């Protein structure tokens, strides 16, 4: 989902689910200084945005 050379991307929920992503499983949580809670599965995390969109991040912990 994240283009090569980039560290983040945005994606709609349905695209993630079609790719086999299961939101039920994660390894840990991270809350940034603004209070946003990221769900991580090892080195990749996601933040739920408005309108069923997600910000996907790599190694932002």
């Amino acid at each position: 989902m994240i283009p090569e050379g980039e560290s983040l991307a945005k994606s709609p929920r349905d695209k993630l689910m079609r790719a086999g992503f299961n939101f039920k499983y994660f390894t840990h949580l991270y809350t940034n200084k603004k209070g946003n809670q990221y769900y991580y599965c090892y080195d990749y995390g996601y933040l739920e945005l408005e309108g069923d969109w997600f910000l996907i991040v790599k190694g932002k912990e």
Side-chain angles (χ1 to χ4, degrees), residues 2-28:
I2 300 176
E4 191 172 328
E6 299 289 327
S7 61
L8 55 88
K10 285 171 61 175
S11 179
R13 178 186 295 270
D14 63 333
K15 183 176 179 181
L16 292 169
M17 293 182 76
R18 283 194 312 267
F21 190 80
N22 188 336
F23 292 92
K24 194 160 93 173
Y25 302 106
F26 58 93
T27 57
H28 60 285

Side-chain angles (χ1 to χ4, degrees), residues 1-58:
M1 296 288 163
I2 300 176
E4 191 172 328
E6 299 289 327
S7 61
L8 55 88
K10 285 171 61 175
S11 179
R13 178 186 295 270
D14 63 333
K15 183 176 179 181
L16 292 169
M17 293 182 76
R18 283 194 312 267
F21 190 80
N22 188 336
F23 292 92
K24 194 160 93 173
Y25 302 106
F26 58 93
T27 57
H28 60 285
L29 297 172
Y30 171 71
T31 304
N32 67 8
K33 291 178 183 178
K34 293 181 180 180
N36 298 325
Q37 193 167 48
Y38 289 78
Y39 291 82
Y40 270 81
C41 189
Y42 300 104
D43 294 338
Y44 293 89
Y46 64 89
L47 171 67
E48 189 167 0
L49 304 173
E50 292 183 23
D52 251 2
W53 280 81
F54 290 85
L55 177 67
I56 305 164
V57 297
K58 180 179 179 182

